[in-house]
Structure formats: structure tokens, C-alpha cells
Amino acid sequence: MEKYIRTLTIFYDTEISYGEIPLFRGAVLKSLGDKAHVLYHNHTGDDTFRYSYPLVQYKRLNGKAAITCVEEGIDLVGQLLSHLYGSMSIGRREALCQVTEVKASKTPVGIESATTSYQLLHWLPLNGRNYARYQSTDELVEKVKILEHVLTGNILSFLKGIGIHLEEPLQVSITEITKQQVVSYKQVKLMSFDVRFKANLSLPPFIGIGKNVSIGNGIIRKNQ
């Protein structure tokens, strides 16, 4: 049975780099102050965290700042729009922040008979264990199999995080690795991938899957 998932993405005219996404997040939280809902930052106090799937995600889309809200996160949009405007500090620079577009989507998420093609950007699939396995594998086919296994798990984790359990097998096939690079997060170096893949599943636009999705990693876009 399909379940409809609501998403809403706010696009700003503020140009940011990939490395400035955490700074953009910090600027948003500063503008909201003590009124910031836990879904904006996932801190529950006393150094504890909300470990569920992030329902407010800060991103860089088309070179500019954006925020994607999922399900309950959409209920907080009014607070965002009323507090986040005008000048803001992104790190050490001042930037104007104006909304250019708001895109709402209600996507039926479930197994389909046909496959859909997607792009996955800034995806961080490798942890310590599968990184060693990936690096020790010489065959490209085997490397892709490792990534497909991780991608399948990431998608299932996303579905579980929003309360969806599939009754039929999920089929995922990576068709192209378009970019691979090393990125740093909190002084830890990670391998980031841009890939194209097909899946027998409909997925909402701009959601994140995998690691660090709250700060712009693992962005899903449907191939045109």
C-alpha cells in the first residue's frame, strides 16, 4: 500500500558553497533563537540528540541555500518564513536572505512495477568497515555492488524513519558514478559520491538519504 509523504522545499537567493551549509544552518538557528523547535537542530538538551530521521534539512540546491521540510517539519514553516529574512551572518560574511520559491510535494511512496531514475548528490555511503572493503576491491563491478547494498539500506532506513514498511522487495541498481571525491566533516575525511540509480520505488524530491542529510548530503533528485 502506498503512503503519501509531504515535503516542502524553500529556495533562497543566497549563494553558498557546499562547505557553508553547516554555517547556513547555524545562521538559521541563530535567527530563531530560543524559539527554535527541536526539529530544527535535533538536540533534545543535556547533550542528548533526536536520532530519528531529520525532518528539517539544510541544503545547497543550484548553488543557493535551501531548506527541505518533511512531514511534521512542514508544520514549522511559518516560523521559518517569519524569522528568516533580510541580512544574516554565514560564518564571517553577511548575506541577504530572501525566499525565491517554495515547492510543495505530496509523493506516493511505494513499490512500483516500473523503475524510476534518480540522481543522488553528495552521498556519504562508506563507514569504517565498508570503506576498507570498498578500497580493497579492485573490480568496478564489485565496488558498485557494495554501493548498491549500502544505498538499498539507506533508502530502507529513510522509509523506516517516516513510518513506511515495504511489503515487496526493493530493487536498486546504480547505473553511473558521476563524481567521487574526499570531503571533510568535523576534521574527518569522508568519501562523497554523486551517482545515478534506478529503483522500483517512488521517492520525494530533494529528500536526503544516508549520513549527515540534515546538512546537505545524500540529496535525491529525479532524472529529467
Side-chain angles (χ1 to χ4, degrees):
M1 179 184 297
E2 290 183 327
K3 178 179 178 181
Y4 284 84
I5 299 301
R6 298 177 300 133
T7 60
L8 185 144
T9 299
I10 306 170
F11 296 83
Y12 295 92
D13 61 358
T14 311
E15 294 187 359
I16 60 172
S17 66
Y18 170 76
E20 287 181 319
I21 298 173
L23 300 178
F24 171 60
R25 175 180 180 270
V28 173
L29 295 178
K30 183 178 179 180
S31 70
L32 295 175
D34 295 337
K35 297 180 180 179
H37 191 279
V38 64
L39 294 183
Y40 284 116
H41 47 70
N42 295 305
H43 291 270
T44 57
D46 299 324
D47 296 324
T48 58
F49 298 89
R50 174 186 177 274
Y51 288 104
S52 301
Y53 181 77
L55 300 179
V56 176
Q57 304 169 10
Y58 306 85
K59 303 179 185 289
R60 177 179 183 262
L61 298 174
N62 302 321
K64 297 183 179 181
I67 299 174
T68 293
C69 302
V70 182
E71 289 293 316
E72 296 98 314
I74 297 175
D75 300 334
L76 308 177
V77 166
Q79 188 181 31
L80 268 179
L81 297 178
S82 62
H83 285 78
L84 188 60
Y85 59 88
S87 180
M88 64 189 304
S89 297
I90 299 180
R92 296 183 178 180
R93 71 179 177 94
E94 290 294 314
L96 291 176
C97 186
Q98 294 182 332
V99 175
T100 59
E101 188 177 9
V102 177
K103 287 187 177 180
S105 176
K106 191 175 182 181
T107 305
V109 176
I111 295 296
E112 299 180 328
S113 57
T115 59
T116 302
S117 297
Y118 299 96
Q119 289 179 296
L120 178 57
L121 307 175
H122 303 296
W123 179 42
L124 306 175
L126 302 177
N127 56 28
R129 184 174 60 182
N130 57 29
Y131 174 80
R133 183 183 170 201
Y134 183 88
Q135 289 294 84
S136 65
T137 302
D138 295 326
E139 296 292 331
L140 179 58
V141 172
E142 293 302 314
K143 287 180 180 288
V144 170
K145 285 183 179 179
I146 293 171
L147 295 178
E148 287 177 343
H149 178 75
V150 176
L151 179 52
T152 301
N154 286 170
I155 294 174
L156 291 174
S157 293
F158 156 69
L159 295 175
K160 181 179 179 180
I162 57 174
I164 294 179
H165 300 276
L166 300 180
E167 298 178 355
E168 299 176 66
L170 171 63
Q171 298 174 358
V172 174
S173 174
I174 292 177
T175 57
E176 185 181 4
I177 299 174
T178 57
K179 189 175 181 180
Q180 179 178 326
Q181 63 180 339
V182 176
V183 298
S184 294
Y185 176 67
K186 293 185 177 180
Q187 300 181 335
V188 176
K189 292 185 177 181
L190 302 168
M191 289 186 68
S192 171
F193 293 80
D194 290 358
V195 303
R196 297 180 186 273
F197 73 95
K198 293 182 179 180
N200 61 336
L201 180 76
S202 56
L203 290 168
F206 307 123
I207 60 153
I209 63 170
K211 298 178 183 177
N212 298 342
V213 301
S214 64
I215 50 170
N217 292 292
I219 300 173
I220 290 283
R221 303 188 79 159
K222 186 178 292 187
N223 282 336
Q224 301 299 324

